[in-house]
Every structure is written in structure tokens, then in C-alpha cells.
Amino acid sequence: MENTGLVLEGGAMRGLYTSGVLDYFIEKNLYFPYVIGVSAGACNALSYISRQKGRSKDININFANDKRYINFANIIRRENVFDLDFLFNDIFNKHIPFDYETFFSSEEELVIPCTDCKTGKTVYYYKSKCKDILTAVKASSSLPFINSMININQRLLLDGGITDSIPIKKSIKDGNTKNVIILTRDENYRKQPFKFIKVAEKIYKEYPNLVNSIKKRYKEYNKVIDYINKLEQQGKVFLIRPKEPINIKRTERDTNKLKEIYNIGYNDGKKYYKDIIKFINKNISMKIG
């Protein structure tokens, strides 16, 4: 499976769709040599590479109503709504343990995009090069307005989705001529302009480049969707995405809805598995314009 990438979009609790797809891949022992994931996609990539089927699902469903994980009262206190410290410490090490040994000994490369708050540009962290890749995943999962910035080597970082929501171009740049992309939005979705840019300007007044990236995010997102659709028509990527819109909140707490989203993803993974194998095994001449 040389020069083949797996690209994972974020989407907070919509990421349960991706969890379902990846759990079917784990069942079939299908592992891509290169995985790049943003935000919730990065978190899903951890459990996928560590071969822990059901782990991402269990975290988001079992703790959806746990105030240690999601607490809206923290908005008033100007603290994290998603408690990533609880996720990466208590959950990872106690409640639903992460298999560190399998993850770090695996051959798969994992690439994590984060947004540099000072420059407003994307910074990429590689599992093979970054000593603390889990902190990079934490940074990529730190949503603006909801989470605090994460410091890695004097860089203040936030959600990688601000600047590279679907990092297909990075995967191609890294040499992958074939890519399977898992999206958490249906094919008709287009992002709209951010309504609260004045709030962003106030909260992040010391980071004008970050504000500018937030402002233009919808344009960049819609451009990459058009680009991906073009690649799909050319047979150069294989897209997996929900057929119908996933209508839930970023911080959805209805566990029945969350289970349903996971099951949709799992069934789509099963539905498209044979076609994915055919796609992986075919020869593709890659010329990107």
C-alpha cells in the first residue's frame, strides 16, 4: 500500500461517524501507512493506529454527559468547555486506557495539523519526528473560543481545522498519490462566513493573523471541497462521507443520536470496503493542477 494516505476531517461529535468507519477498518485489519487527521480526526487516528476498536466511540458516548469532559458552565468562568486535560490524562490513563506501546511501535506515520496563533498558518507534527505527538493532537483538538491555546516549543497552537480543515494537499505533498478521505459533512454542505468575527477580534486581539484565518476559513474550506470533488471525478481519491446531513451540536449529549452516527459510519465502512481495496490496488498517474 505504498504512497497511500488516509485523510480525516474533524467535526467534534460528528467525529463519531469517522470512529465507525475506522472501527470497521480495524476489524478488517486495514491500516494505511500514512494518516493525517485534524481535531476530532486526529483523536480518532490515535485509537485507529493503536488498534483499539471501539475506544473513540466509548469515550465520546460514555462521557458525553460527564461534566469533567464537557461543561458549559466553564464558559462563564472562561475555562475550557471541552476539558482536554481530563481527556488526555484521566481518560487516557485510567478510564479507557490508551495502548501507548502499540501506538508508538506501529509503523504508520501520523501527521497532525495545528494552527499557529501568531502566524495564522498551519504547523504539521509527525509521529516519527515529534517527541510529544499526543500534545500535538491535543493542540489540534483545541477549538477556538472553547479551549485554551496549547504551547509546543514556544508556539501557541489551536485547532488545525482553522487553517487546514481537510489536509488532502499536505498528504499529496508528502508523496501520496492515492488518498482515502473520510469527511463528516454530506456532499451538499458548504461552510458559511463566521458570524461572530467581532468577538474573535476582541478575544484574539493580540493575534490578528489568527483572526484573519478564522475570517477566511469558510472560503478555504469550500475551495478544498471543490478540489476534493475534482480529484474524486478523476479517480484519484476515494471519498467516504455521510449521505445525509449529521444534524447535531458540536457538544451533542444525546447518546442515542451519537450511537446512531457511529453506526452510520460503521455501516458505510462496511459498504465501501471492497471498493476501497480496489481503489488502493489500482495504479494511478497523479498530476495535480
Side-chain angles (χ1 to χ4, degrees), residues 239-257:
L239 286 186
I240 304 173
R241 56 186 169 192
K243 186 176 181 181
E244 303 294 334
I246 296 179
N247 295 316
I248 62 169
K249 301 185 290 290
R250 274 184 174 270
T251 53
E252 183 63 58
R253 292 185 167 188
D254 187 327
T255 56
N256 288 325
K257 287 183 179 179

Side-chain angles (χ1 to χ4, degrees), residues 101-155:
E101 182 177 356
T102 297
F103 175 78
F104 284 108
S105 64
S106 66
E107 296 181 356
E108 291 82 27
E109 179 67 279
L110 174 62
V111 183
I112 304 298
C114 300
T115 297
D116 185 318
C117 297
K118 184 177 180 179
T119 65
K121 296 182 179 180
T122 314
V123 181
Y124 300 95
Y125 293 91
Y126 291 75
K127 171 172 166 270
S128 61
K129 301 175 183 177
C130 179
K131 294 181 179 179
D132 198 359
I133 192 69
L134 295 184
T135 301
V137 174
K138 184 178 179 181
S140 187
S141 305
S142 296
L143 304 175
F145 312 107
I146 291 178
N147 291 106
S148 302
M149 298 175 183
I150 302 296
N151 189 323
I152 298 181
N153 296 327
Q154 305 306 310
R155 275 196 173 113

Side-chain angles (χ1 to χ4, degrees), residues 54-264:
R55 182 176 177 275
S56 290
K57 176 194 70 173
D58 290 344
I59 289 173
N60 286 299
I61 291 178
N62 293 354
F63 289 91
N65 292 288
D66 192 319
K67 290 184 178 180
R68 294 172 297 175
Y69 184 37
I70 303 174
N71 192 342
F72 291 102
N74 285 345
I75 294 177
I76 300 173
R77 296 190 287 265
R78 299 196 71 176
E79 296 177 358
N80 295 329
V81 174
F82 276 103
D83 192 335
L84 296 178
D85 288 331
F86 177 71
L87 171 61
F88 283 91
N89 293 325
D90 296 68
I91 293 179
F92 264 59
N93 298 314
K94 179 180 177 182
H95 300 293
I96 306 178
F98 181 62
D99 189 340
Y100 292 92
E101 182 177 356
T102 297
F103 175 78
F104 284 108
S105 64
S106 66
E107 296 181 356
E108 291 82 27
E109 179 67 279
L110 174 62
V111 183
I112 304 298
C114 300
T115 297
D116 185 318
C117 297
K118 184 177 180 179
T119 65
K121 296 182 179 180
T122 314
V123 181
Y124 300 95
Y125 293 91
Y126 291 75
K127 171 172 166 270
S128 61
K129 301 175 183 177
C130 179
K131 294 181 179 179
D132 198 359
I133 192 69
L134 295 184
T135 301
V137 174
K138 184 178 179 181
S140 187
S141 305
S142 296
L143 304 175
F145 312 107
I146 291 178
N147 291 106
S148 302
M149 298 175 183
I150 302 296
N151 189 323
I152 298 181
N153 296 327
Q154 305 306 310
R155 275 196 173 113
L156 292 177
L157 306 167
L158 280 174
D159 176 15
I162 298 171
T163 51
D164 199 357
S165 297
I166 309 169
I168 176 62
K169 291 185 178 180
K170 177 60 176 174
S171 182
I172 292 172
K173 184 178 179 180
D174 282 348
N176 296 307
T177 55
K178 291 177 284 188
N179 288 277
V180 173
I181 307 174
I182 303 178
L183 303 179
T184 57
R185 296 286 195 179
D186 64 285
E187 65 178 343
N188 295 317
Y189 177 79
R190 292 296 183 276
K191 195 173 286 296
Q192 299 301 311
F194 185 60
K195 296 179 181 179
F196 305 104
I197 197 64
K198 294 297 182 182
V199 176
E201 291 173 345
K202 183 177 181 179
I203 293 176
Y204 299 118
K205 60 183 178 181
E206 297 179 3
Y207 304 94
N209 291 324
L210 173 63
V211 173
N212 186 54
S213 292
I214 292 173
K215 187 183 300 185
K216 66 180 184 180
R217 181 184 182 186
Y218 81 100
K219 292 182 180 179
E220 298 302 320
Y221 182 91
N222 295 337
K223 283 181 183 178
V224 78
I225 287 294
D226 291 340
Y227 177 69
I228 286 170
N229 287 338
K230 178 182 176 181
L231 293 180
E232 183 186 35
Q233 293 172 1
Q234 296 172 347
K236 295 172 180 175
V237 301
F238 191 102
L239 286 186
I240 304 173
R241 56 186 169 192
K243 186 176 181 181
E244 303 294 334
I246 296 179
N247 295 316
I248 62 169
K249 301 185 290 290
R250 274 184 174 270
T251 53
E252 183 63 58
R253 292 185 167 188
D254 187 327
T255 56
N256 288 325
K257 287 183 179 179
L258 296 176
K259 290 175 183 176
E260 181 182 358
I261 292 166
Y262 170 84
N263 289 333
I264 291 171

